[in-house]
Amino acid sequence: MGIYDRARGTTDALFSPRLWTKDGLATEAGKPDFWDRSTLYALRGVFAAGDTARAMQRLTAYTRRRLLGEHVPYAVEAYPEGGQAHLSAESALYCRIFVEGMFGIRPTGLNAFAMTPRLPDGWNRMALRAVHAFGQVFDLEVVRTGDSLEVRVLPVAGGLIVRTAPAGGTVAIAF
């Protein structure tokens, strides 16, 4: 949400035993009920705030338990409504963890965006393929190059765009 001066304390609170359950974020501290919506927004925000290691750990656990485990294969609105058997908009929020959290894409115009990539430790690269946005179709790659990250935008129509930023830095892309 653009509030980064208290990111560490907020992340500590979100991942505390009072709020984080085996299924994700509790609806209220100390209560067993959880919502995928709040969990997915939290994971998106923690990536965007730069706490990639803890965000990746929770994202992996969430994905294994809630999406690949003995559960419906998509995020649901809330437990126990409908016995966890209904589809909701939360499925799209899962994708936003990657697009807005890990890749840090923020629109800045009809044909432009800013990007603050958060490449997880141990990863040398990540990519989004066939992105349809900003009036273009393009591939987006982030490659670790020493202490920096190289962002490559490969439009279907047009030339390669390359930007370099330090880890945690933002690049601007305009078509």
Side-chain angles (χ1 to χ4, degrees):
M1 296 303 172
I3 304 172
Y4 299 111
D5 58 339
R6 297 183 186 169
R8 181 63 185 201
T10 301
T11 302
D12 288 345
L14 289 171
F15 292 157
S16 75
R18 291 192 37 82
L19 283 177
W20 197 265
T21 73
K22 63 182 179 182
D23 292 305
L25 264 179
T27 57
E28 185 179 336
K31 302 282 184 177
D33 297 336
F34 61 90
W35 282 10
D36 283 343
R37 178 181 296 187
S38 56
T39 301
L40 298 171
Y41 272 123
L43 290 170
R44 175 199 159 277
V46 172
F47 271 111
D51 196 345
T52 307
R54 288 199 295 173
M56 195 66 193
Q57 177 187 19
R58 302 292 195 203
L59 174 61
T60 301
Y62 173 86
T63 301
R64 283 188 181 133
R65 178 164 172 79
R66 303 279 297 132
L67 301 182
L68 301 176
E70 292 185 27
H71 190 279
V72 292
Y74 44 78
V76 296
E77 171 61 28
Y79 170 82
E81 296 171 7
Q84 299 187 26
H86 58 288
L87 178 62
S88 68
E90 278 61 31
S91 296
L93 295 178
Y94 185 79
C95 300
R96 290 180 67 182
I97 294 169
F98 301 93
V99 174
E100 297 170 12
M102 291 177 81
F103 282 84
I105 296 173
R106 300 284 183 275
T108 57
L110 294 176
N111 65 346
F113 63 95
M115 185 175 154
T116 308
R118 305 294 188 175
L119 191 62
D121 292 341
W123 290 21
N124 290 322
R125 65 182 337 123
M126 62 183 180
L128 291 175
R129 302 286 182 210
V131 177
H132 292 247
F134 311 106
Q136 299 286 323
V137 178
F138 58 94
D139 288 347
L140 185 58
E141 299 174 350
V142 177
V143 179
R144 190 179 313 277
T145 56
D147 293 335
S148 299
L149 297 177
E150 184 176 275
V151 174
R152 300 175 188 160
V153 182
L154 301 95
V156 169
L160 173 69
I161 300 168
V162 178
R163 302 282 186 274
T164 302
T170 301
V171 298
I173 306 294
F175 293 104

